[in-house]
Amino acid sequence: MLRTREPRSPQAPPPAWSRFVLGRPTARFEAKPPPADPYRPDTLFDGWSTQGLTVRLASVRGDAHRYGGQPRQDDVVVAAHEPTGAVVFAVADGVSAAPQSHVGAALACRTAVSDVLRQLDEGRNQVDWKRVVAAAAYQLVMRVTRGGEPTREQKQEAQTLLATTLVTGVVRPAAGGQLDVNLVHVGDSGAWLLHQGLFHPLLGGKDQSADGIFSSAVAALPWVPPQVEGTWYTLPEDGVLLVGTDGFGDPLGDGTGRIGEVMAYELGRPPREPQAVAQLLDFSRETFDDDRTLLAVWPRHRLDEGRATGAAG
């Protein structure tokens, strides 16, 4: 006889993998599959530690793309450079209006991380960020030209098809458990310091006009800014480096609301299980339906301080 699973009692506690509801939730529905080529999973997460740093990351498809059957347009790539003890990263958010921006985001992240790793292997004291950003932009244009010398029209086609933001950088352990961070960005993806429950913007984010309205205009690769210079930060030993797309940054706001409260509590120390960040990032909140990507880096000693946390409701 065919057996089916009995419905769960309404009084039973929710399963551990339920989405967080932070405010009024979005409608529940079954996601549609994205296009199969190139393959883009709905959700990815990763987590590991080097001798000096602990890394957790996740990227989740937003409800708008799940409902419409579009691919996740965000991407993230992270790599450890063992000779220097550095962690190299890139986070990208494909521009919504660009039909293949998910491809652009993937190309930009992989190219940026590869170029930074190459420069570290060369023994450079300072990363040439102009070279990194130009290399990422070049790969987007080459996607259109297939290796040929680009025409003006092909450069415009690459901008129309593949446009993406980019945040890339290097983080190293420093004296006293601090973090030395070097960052550069194109577009409105951002980075924050989480320290003692407060979020401090480091770079990126949307521009705000005098009337308090945030601009939706996005500078994006393959356009390269005239000036590309890295910014240095030294983060405290009890701080957390966060790098994310606007799918994370917009609902976070200034970090003082319900979403900021939960994020600050859950990310104050690294969760033991990497998938906890994916669950946390995939919260349900009406009107916030964009893709969300977040990279978090802590000094390694923080991993041994705290509770073995999953995301808490």
Side-chain angles (χ1 to χ4, degrees), residues 89-267:
F89 57 84
V91 170
D93 179 1
V95 174
S96 297
Q100 297 180 24
S101 64
H102 55 293
V103 176
L107 283 172
C109 284
R110 282 150 184 77
T111 303
V113 168
S114 294
D115 194 79
V116 175
L117 291 172
R118 192 175 302 115
Q119 293 193 42
L120 294 179
D121 286 340
E122 293 168 358
R124 289 174 176 262
N125 293 326
Q126 301 286 343
V127 174
D128 182 348
W129 292 114
K130 180 78 172 181
R131 170 180 141 176
V132 173
V133 173
Y138 179 78
Q139 287 301 317
L140 269 60
V141 175
M142 288 299 101
R143 177 80 178 189
V144 171
T145 67
R146 302 186 183 278
E149 185 66 24
T151 64
R152 181 177 179 180
E153 290 74 18
Q154 287 174 320
K155 291 180 180 179
Q156 183 58 50
E157 182 182 359
Q159 191 78 45
T160 301
L161 286 176
L162 300 160
T164 181
T165 72
L166 177 68
V167 177
T168 183
V170 178
V171 54
R172 296 178 175 90
Q178 297 178 318
L179 299 179
D180 281 342
V181 183
N182 192 200
L183 295 167
V184 71
H185 75 112
V186 177
D188 63 1
S189 296
W192 301 260
L193 162 65
L194 171 58
H195 184 232
Q196 297 181 351
L198 300 177
F199 293 87
H200 305 276
L202 300 179
L203 57 74
K206 289 184 171 64
D207 294 329
Q208 189 174 14
S209 61
D211 59 6
I213 298 175
F214 286 97
S215 170
S216 60
V218 176
L221 297 175
W223 174 79
V224 177
Q227 298 292 325
V228 179
E229 296 180 359
T231 307
W232 283 94
Y233 302 92
T234 298
L235 308 189
E237 68 278 1
D238 55 346
V240 188
L241 171 65
L242 302 176
V243 182
T245 60
D246 62 359
F248 169 77
D250 286 356
L252 177 69
D254 63 4
T256 60
R258 173 61 175 155
I259 291 174
E261 176 187 9
V262 172
M263 294 292 170
Y265 177 79
E266 295 297 335
L267 298 172

